[in-house]
Short mmCIF file of all heavy atoms in Angstrom, two decimals:
data_model
loop_
_atom_site.label_atom_id
_atom_site.label_comp_id
_atom_site.label_asym_id
_atom_site.label_seq_id
_atom_site.Cartn_x
_atom_site.Cartn_y
_atom_site.Cartn_z
N ARG R 1 0.81 -18.75 -18.11
CA ARG R 1 -0.33 -19.61 -18.52
C ARG R 1 -0.26 -19.90 -20.09
O ARG R 1 -0.59 -20.98 -20.47
CB ARG R 1 -1.75 -19.04 -18.08
CG ARG R 1 -2.10 -19.08 -16.70
CD ARG R 1 -3.28 -18.41 -16.44
NE ARG R 1 -4.44 -18.88 -17.13
CZ ARG R 1 -5.69 -18.36 -17.08
NH1 ARG R 1 -5.94 -17.29 -16.26
NH2 ARG R 1 -6.69 -18.89 -17.69
N LEU R 2 -0.03 -18.85 -20.86
CA LEU R 2 0.03 -19.03 -22.23
C LEU R 2 1.21 -20.00 -22.69
O LEU R 2 1.15 -20.60 -23.61
CB LEU R 2 0.21 -17.72 -22.86
CG LEU R 2 -0.98 -16.82 -22.84
CD1 LEU R 2 -0.70 -15.37 -23.39
CD2 LEU R 2 -2.25 -17.37 -23.55
N ARG R 3 2.28 -19.92 -21.79
CA ARG R 3 3.48 -20.73 -22.13
C ARG R 3 3.06 -22.26 -22.17
O ARG R 3 3.77 -23.07 -22.75
CB ARG R 3 4.53 -20.43 -21.05
CG ARG R 3 5.92 -20.96 -21.42
CD ARG R 3 6.80 -20.73 -20.24
NE ARG R 3 7.29 -19.44 -20.11
CZ ARG R 3 7.93 -18.91 -19.15
NH1 ARG R 3 8.07 -19.69 -17.99
NH2 ARG R 3 8.37 -17.70 -19.14
N ALA R 4 2.08 -22.62 -21.45
CA ALA R 4 1.63 -24.01 -21.39
C ALA R 4 0.90 -24.54 -22.63
O ALA R 4 0.60 -25.64 -22.77
CB ALA R 4 0.61 -24.21 -20.23
N ILE R 5 0.52 -23.57 -23.58
CA ILE R 5 -0.02 -23.91 -24.80
C ILE R 5 1.15 -24.30 -25.76
O ILE R 5 1.81 -23.33 -26.22
CB ILE R 5 -0.95 -22.79 -25.34
CG1 ILE R 5 -1.92 -22.49 -24.28
CG2 ILE R 5 -1.53 -23.18 -26.66
CD1 ILE R 5 -2.89 -21.34 -24.62
N PRO R 6 1.28 -25.47 -26.16
CA PRO R 6 2.56 -25.87 -26.93
C PRO R 6 2.71 -25.24 -28.27
O PRO R 6 3.72 -24.90 -28.67
CB PRO R 6 2.53 -27.39 -26.90
CG PRO R 6 0.99 -27.64 -26.78
CD PRO R 6 0.45 -26.63 -25.95
N ASP R 7 1.57 -25.12 -29.06
CA ASP R 7 1.75 -24.69 -30.47
C ASP R 7 0.94 -23.25 -30.62
O ASP R 7 0.50 -22.96 -31.66
CB ASP R 7 1.21 -25.61 -31.41
CG ASP R 7 -0.28 -26.19 -31.01
OD1 ASP R 7 -0.69 -25.83 -29.89
OD2 ASP R 7 -0.84 -26.98 -31.81
N LEU R 8 1.07 -22.51 -29.55
CA LEU R 8 0.50 -21.25 -29.59
C LEU R 8 1.07 -20.20 -30.61
O LEU R 8 2.33 -20.27 -30.77
CB LEU R 8 0.54 -20.48 -28.25
CG LEU R 8 0.02 -19.04 -28.08
CD1 LEU R 8 -1.51 -19.07 -28.15
CD2 LEU R 8 0.58 -18.52 -26.63
N VAL R 9 0.35 -19.50 -31.35
CA VAL R 9 0.84 -18.50 -32.22
C VAL R 9 0.14 -17.13 -31.74
O VAL R 9 -1.07 -17.02 -31.97
CB VAL R 9 0.54 -18.77 -33.70
CG1 VAL R 9 1.05 -17.63 -34.60
CG2 VAL R 9 1.27 -20.16 -34.07
N LEU R 10 0.92 -16.22 -31.31
CA LEU R 10 0.34 -14.97 -30.68
C LEU R 10 1.03 -13.67 -31.17
O LEU R 10 2.30 -13.77 -31.25
CB LEU R 10 0.29 -15.20 -29.26
CG LEU R 10 -0.37 -14.00 -28.33
CD1 LEU R 10 -1.24 -14.67 -27.24
CD2 LEU R 10 0.61 -13.18 -27.78
N SER R 11 0.38 -12.64 -31.33
CA SER R 11 1.01 -11.36 -31.51
C SER R 11 0.29 -10.33 -30.75
O SER R 11 -0.84 -10.38 -30.31
CB SER R 11 0.89 -11.01 -33.09
OG SER R 11 -0.40 -11.26 -33.63
N ASP R 12 0.97 -9.14 -30.68
CA ASP R 12 0.44 -7.98 -29.89
C ASP R 12 -0.34 -7.09 -30.80
O ASP R 12 0.05 -6.64 -31.80
CB ASP R 12 1.65 -7.21 -29.38
CG ASP R 12 1.34 -5.69 -29.10
OD1 ASP R 12 0.19 -5.45 -28.54
OD2 ASP R 12 2.02 -4.76 -29.49
N PHE R 13 -1.61 -6.88 -30.45
CA PHE R 13 -2.50 -5.96 -31.19
C PHE R 13 -3.00 -4.84 -30.26
O PHE R 13 -4.04 -4.25 -30.53
CB PHE R 13 -3.80 -6.71 -31.67
CG PHE R 13 -3.64 -7.61 -32.96
CD1 PHE R 13 -2.36 -7.95 -33.45
CD2 PHE R 13 -4.69 -8.05 -33.55
CE1 PHE R 13 -2.27 -8.67 -34.53
CE2 PHE R 13 -4.63 -8.80 -34.86
CZ PHE R 13 -3.35 -9.06 -35.31
N GLY R 14 -2.14 -4.38 -29.40
CA GLY R 14 -2.67 -3.55 -28.28
C GLY R 14 -2.38 -2.03 -28.48
O GLY R 14 -2.49 -1.35 -27.55
N THR R 15 -2.05 -1.60 -29.68
CA THR R 15 -1.64 -0.11 -29.88
C THR R 15 -2.74 0.75 -29.50
O THR R 15 -2.57 1.77 -28.82
CB THR R 15 -1.12 0.13 -31.22
OG1 THR R 15 0.06 -0.72 -31.51
CG2 THR R 15 -0.69 1.54 -31.46
N ARG R 16 -3.93 0.54 -30.08
CA ARG R 16 -5.04 1.59 -30.12
C ARG R 16 -5.54 1.91 -28.65
O ARG R 16 -5.90 3.07 -28.46
CB ARG R 16 -6.28 0.98 -30.86
CG ARG R 16 -5.87 0.83 -32.31
CD ARG R 16 -7.08 0.45 -33.25
NE ARG R 16 -7.84 -0.69 -32.61
CZ ARG R 16 -9.12 -0.87 -32.84
NH1 ARG R 16 -9.81 0.05 -33.41
NH2 ARG R 16 -9.66 -1.94 -32.26
N ARG R 17 -5.56 0.96 -27.77
CA ARG R 17 -6.11 1.29 -26.44
C ARG R 17 -5.12 0.97 -25.34
O ARG R 17 -5.54 0.50 -24.22
CB ARG R 17 -7.41 0.43 -26.26
CG ARG R 17 -8.55 0.78 -27.34
CD ARG R 17 -9.88 0.24 -26.92
NE ARG R 17 -10.79 0.32 -28.09
CZ ARG R 17 -11.11 -0.82 -28.75
NH1 ARG R 17 -10.67 -1.93 -28.42
NH2 ARG R 17 -11.89 -0.66 -29.75
N ARG R 18 -3.87 1.23 -25.55
CA ARG R 18 -2.85 0.91 -24.54
C ARG R 18 -2.94 1.89 -23.48
O ARG R 18 -3.39 3.03 -23.54
CB ARG R 18 -1.48 1.00 -25.33
CG ARG R 18 -1.11 2.36 -25.82
CD ARG R 18 0.07 2.30 -26.84
NE ARG R 18 0.54 3.62 -27.14
CZ ARG R 18 1.20 3.95 -28.20
NH1 ARG R 18 1.62 2.98 -28.98
NH2 ARG R 18 1.52 5.23 -28.42
N HIS R 19 -2.28 1.42 -22.38
CA HIS R 19 -2.10 2.34 -21.27
C HIS R 19 -1.00 3.50 -21.61
O HIS R 19 -1.18 4.61 -21.13
CB HIS R 19 -1.53 1.45 -20.03
CG HIS R 19 -1.00 2.33 -18.93
ND1 HIS R 19 -1.89 2.92 -17.93
CD2 HIS R 19 0.32 2.59 -18.57
CE1 HIS R 19 -1.08 3.47 -17.08
NE2 HIS R 19 0.10 3.28 -17.39
N GLY R 20 -0.08 3.12 -22.43
CA GLY R 20 0.90 4.05 -22.83
C GLY R 20 1.92 3.36 -23.68
O GLY R 20 2.05 2.08 -23.69
N PHE R 21 2.66 4.06 -24.52
CA PHE R 21 3.65 3.47 -25.48
C PHE R 21 4.70 2.68 -24.63
O PHE R 21 5.12 1.58 -25.05
CB PHE R 21 4.32 4.61 -26.26
CG PHE R 21 5.52 4.11 -27.14
CD1 PHE R 21 5.20 3.47 -28.29
CD2 PHE R 21 6.82 4.21 -26.66
CE1 PHE R 21 6.26 2.96 -29.12
CE2 PHE R 21 7.79 3.66 -27.41
CZ PHE R 21 7.61 3.04 -28.71
N LEU R 22 5.31 3.27 -23.56
CA LEU R 22 6.34 2.56 -22.75
C LEU R 22 5.86 1.32 -22.16
O LEU R 22 6.55 0.36 -22.17
CB LEU R 22 6.89 3.46 -21.83
CG LEU R 22 7.69 4.73 -22.41
CD1 LEU R 22 8.11 5.71 -21.26
CD2 LEU R 22 8.95 4.24 -23.19
N TRP R 23 4.57 1.42 -21.78
CA TRP R 23 4.01 0.17 -21.24
C TRP R 23 3.81 -0.93 -22.33
O TRP R 23 4.04 -2.05 -22.07
CB TRP R 23 2.68 0.43 -20.55
CG TRP R 23 2.04 -0.88 -19.94
CD1 TRP R 23 0.85 -1.38 -20.37
CD2 TRP R 23 2.58 -1.63 -18.86
NE1 TRP R 23 0.56 -2.49 -19.60
CE2 TRP R 23 1.65 -2.78 -18.67
CE3 TRP R 23 3.59 -1.63 -18.05
CZ2 TRP R 23 1.81 -3.71 -17.75
CZ3 TRP R 23 3.84 -2.58 -17.06
CH2 TRP R 23 2.88 -3.58 -17.02
N GLN R 24 3.28 -0.53 -23.51
CA GLN R 24 3.17 -1.45 -24.54
C GLN R 24 4.57 -2.09 -24.90
O GLN R 24 4.65 -3.30 -25.08
CB GLN R 24 2.57 -0.81 -25.83
CG GLN R 24 2.33 -1.79 -26.98
CD GLN R 24 1.89 -1.16 -28.17
OE1 GLN R 24 1.89 0.11 -28.37
NE2 GLN R 24 1.42 -2.01 -29.18
N ALA R 25 5.62 -1.27 -24.99
CA ALA R 25 6.90 -1.83 -25.26
C ALA R 25 7.37 -2.76 -24.19
O ALA R 25 8.04 -3.82 -24.53
CB ALA R 25 7.97 -0.69 -25.31
N TRP R 26 7.04 -2.57 -22.85
CA TRP R 26 7.39 -3.49 -21.87
C TRP R 26 6.55 -4.86 -22.13
O TRP R 26 7.20 -6.00 -21.92
CB TRP R 26 7.11 -2.94 -20.36
CG TRP R 26 7.70 -3.75 -19.44
CD1 TRP R 26 8.92 -3.62 -18.81
CD2 TRP R 26 7.07 -4.99 -18.75
NE1 TRP R 26 9.12 -4.59 -17.83
CE2 TRP R 26 8.01 -5.44 -17.85
CE3 TRP R 26 5.86 -5.64 -18.93
CZ2 TRP R 26 7.69 -6.55 -17.03
CZ3 TRP R 26 5.58 -6.72 -18.15
CH2 TRP R 26 6.52 -7.17 -17.13
N CYS R 27 5.26 -4.73 -22.31
CA CYS R 27 4.51 -5.95 -22.59
C CYS R 27 5.05 -6.76 -23.71
O CYS R 27 5.05 -7.97 -23.59
CB CYS R 27 3.02 -5.44 -22.86
SG CYS R 27 2.13 -4.76 -21.55
N VAL R 28 5.40 -6.06 -24.70
CA VAL R 28 6.02 -6.74 -25.95
C VAL R 28 7.25 -7.56 -25.54
O VAL R 28 7.48 -8.66 -25.89
CB VAL R 28 6.29 -5.81 -27.18
CG1 VAL R 28 7.12 -6.52 -28.07
CG2 VAL R 28 4.88 -5.39 -27.74
N GLN R 29 8.08 -6.83 -24.70
CA GLN R 29 9.36 -7.49 -24.33
C GLN R 29 9.07 -8.69 -23.39
O GLN R 29 9.73 -9.68 -23.53
CB GLN R 29 10.26 -6.49 -23.58
CG GLN R 29 11.75 -6.98 -23.29
CD GLN R 29 12.41 -7.24 -24.49
OE1 GLN R 29 12.32 -6.67 -25.56
NE2 GLN R 29 13.45 -8.26 -24.27
N ALA R 30 8.01 -8.54 -22.62
CA ALA R 30 7.65 -9.70 -21.69
C ALA R 30 7.15 -10.93 -22.51
O ALA R 30 7.55 -12.11 -22.21
CB ALA R 30 6.58 -9.26 -20.71
N LEU R 31 6.34 -10.65 -23.48
CA LEU R 31 6.02 -11.70 -24.50
C LEU R 31 7.09 -12.34 -25.22
O LEU R 31 7.20 -13.55 -25.40
CB LEU R 31 4.92 -11.22 -25.43
CG LEU R 31 3.58 -10.82 -24.92
CD1 LEU R 31 2.71 -10.22 -25.94
CD2 LEU R 31 2.91 -12.01 -24.22
N LYS R 32 8.15 -11.47 -25.59
CA LYS R 32 9.25 -11.99 -26.41
C LYS R 32 10.09 -12.94 -25.48
O LYS R 32 10.60 -13.93 -25.72
CB LYS R 32 10.07 -10.83 -26.85
CG LYS R 32 11.23 -11.12 -27.69
CD LYS R 32 11.86 -9.80 -28.27
CE LYS R 32 13.05 -10.18 -29.18
NZ LYS R 32 13.70 -8.91 -29.65
N GLU R 33 10.27 -12.49 -24.21
CA GLU R 33 11.16 -13.12 -23.22
C GLU R 33 10.27 -14.46 -22.78
O GLU R 33 10.99 -15.53 -22.62
CB GLU R 33 11.34 -12.37 -22.03
CG GLU R 33 12.20 -11.14 -22.24
CD GLU R 33 13.75 -11.59 -22.37
OE1 GLU R 33 14.11 -12.61 -21.96
OE2 GLU R 33 14.50 -10.76 -23.04
N GLY R 34 9.05 -14.30 -22.61
CA GLY R 34 8.29 -15.51 -22.00
C GLY R 34 7.94 -16.52 -23.03
O GLY R 34 7.77 -17.77 -22.68
N LEU R 35 7.57 -16.13 -24.15
CA LEU R 35 7.00 -17.12 -25.20
C LEU R 35 7.81 -17.36 -26.34
O LEU R 35 7.67 -18.44 -27.07
CB LEU R 35 5.70 -16.49 -25.83
CG LEU R 35 4.62 -16.22 -24.86
CD1 LEU R 35 3.40 -15.59 -25.60
CD2 LEU R 35 4.08 -17.49 -24.10
N GLY R 36 9.04 -16.73 -26.48
CA GLY R 36 10.04 -17.03 -27.48
C GLY R 36 9.40 -17.01 -28.94
O GLY R 36 8.68 -16.11 -29.13
N SER R 37 9.58 -18.08 -29.61
CA SER R 37 9.16 -18.09 -31.04
C SER R 37 7.71 -18.17 -31.21
O SER R 37 7.15 -17.90 -32.26
CB SER R 37 9.93 -19.35 -31.73
OG SER R 37 9.36 -20.50 -31.16
N ARG R 38 6.99 -18.58 -30.12
CA ARG R 38 5.47 -18.53 -30.26
C ARG R 38 4.87 -17.15 -30.27
O ARG R 38 3.76 -16.93 -30.65
CB ARG R 38 4.96 -19.40 -28.99
CG ARG R 38 5.16 -20.90 -29.07
CD ARG R 38 4.71 -21.62 -27.97
NE ARG R 38 5.57 -21.41 -26.80
CZ ARG R 38 5.45 -21.92 -25.66
NH1 ARG R 38 4.42 -22.65 -25.28
NH2 ARG R 38 6.41 -21.74 -24.67
N PHE R 39 5.58 -16.19 -29.82
CA PHE R 39 5.24 -14.77 -30.00
C PHE R 39 5.87 -14.30 -31.38
O PHE R 39 7.02 -14.18 -31.48
CB PHE R 39 5.83 -13.94 -28.86
CG PHE R 39 5.57 -12.51 -29.07
CD1 PHE R 39 4.31 -11.96 -29.09
CD2 PHE R 39 6.63 -11.60 -29.06
CE1 PHE R 39 4.02 -10.57 -29.24
CE2 PHE R 39 6.38 -10.15 -29.18
CZ PHE R 39 5.04 -9.64 -29.25
N ILE R 40 5.02 -14.05 -32.35
CA ILE R 40 5.38 -13.87 -33.71
C ILE R 40 5.58 -12.50 -34.15
O ILE R 40 6.05 -12.15 -35.22
CB ILE R 40 4.50 -14.52 -34.66
CG1 ILE R 40 3.10 -13.95 -34.63
CG2 ILE R 40 4.52 -16.07 -34.52
CD1 ILE R 40 2.19 -14.49 -35.77
N GLY R 41 5.19 -11.50 -33.24
CA GLY R 41 5.37 -10.06 -33.60
C GLY R 41 4.35 -9.15 -33.03
O GLY R 41 3.47 -9.49 -32.20
N THR R 42 4.44 -7.88 -33.49
CA THR R 42 3.58 -6.82 -32.92
C THR R 42 2.90 -6.04 -34.06
O THR R 42 3.58 -5.86 -35.17
CB THR R 42 4.25 -5.89 -32.03
OG1 THR R 42 3.52 -4.75 -31.64
CG2 THR R 42 5.62 -5.33 -32.61
N SER R 43 1.66 -5.60 -33.89
CA SER R 43 1.06 -4.71 -34.91
C SER R 43 1.72 -3.22 -34.89
O SER R 43 1.67 -2.59 -35.87
CB SER R 43 -0.38 -4.50 -34.60
OG SER R 43 -0.57 -3.83 -33.34
N ASN R 44 2.44 -2.96 -33.74
CA ASN R 44 3.00 -1.57 -33.70
C ASN R 44 4.29 -1.51 -34.56
O ASN R 44 5.34 -2.20 -34.31
CB ASN R 44 3.33 -1.22 -32.26
CG ASN R 44 3.63 0.22 -32.15
OD1 ASN R 44 4.90 0.62 -32.47
ND2 ASN R 44 2.82 1.05 -31.61
N VAL R 45 4.45 -0.70 -35.59
CA VAL R 45 5.50 -0.73 -36.55
C VAL R 45 6.72 -0.23 -35.79
O VAL R 45 7.82 -0.73 -36.06
CB VAL R 45 5.13 0.19 -37.73
CG1 VAL R 45 6.25 -0.04 -38.84
CG2 VAL R 45 3.77 -0.24 -38.33
N LEU R 46 6.56 0.87 -35.06
CA LEU R 46 7.82 1.45 -34.34
C LEU R 46 8.43 0.44 -33.49
O LEU R 46 9.68 0.12 -33.46
CB LEU R 46 7.39 2.71 -33.58
CG LEU R 46 8.55 3.36 -32.78
CD1 LEU R 46 9.70 3.74 -33.79
CD2 LEU R 46 8.09 4.66 -32.05
N ILE R 47 7.61 -0.26 -32.58
CA ILE R 47 8.11 -1.27 -31.70
C ILE R 47 8.68 -2.42 -32.41
O ILE R 47 9.76 -2.96 -32.11
CB ILE R 47 7.07 -1.82 -30.75
CG1 ILE R 47 6.62 -0.57 -29.84
CG2 ILE R 47 7.56 -2.94 -29.94
CD1 ILE R 47 5.44 -0.88 -28.90
#
């Protein structure tokens, strides 16, 4: 659904209340794969 927004600028802010670290890493990878350059990064420094 987000991919349909042509000039979307989005980042991951989900560290504080995540299900778990590994799940957050998977979510970030999904955004990277699905949104490309419209996904600009993550608040999590390690990821």
Side-chain angles (χ1 to χ4, degrees):
R1 283 176 60 183
L2 293 172
R3 192 186 282 166
I5 302 176
D7 50 354
L8 177 72
V9 177
L10 183 138
S11 52
D12 157 43
F13 277 18
T15 300
R16 296 188 306 156
R17 300 193 194 106
R18 67 195 184 196
H19 171 80
F21 174 79
L22 294 173
W23 177 248
Q24 183 184 12
W26 191 92
C27 292
V28 166
Q29 189 64 30
L31 292 176
K32 189 176 179 181
E33 294 285 337
L35 299 180
S37 61
R38 287 173 288 178
F39 175 57
I40 62 170
T42 172
S43 65
N44 189 289
V45 189
L46 180 62
I47 292 176

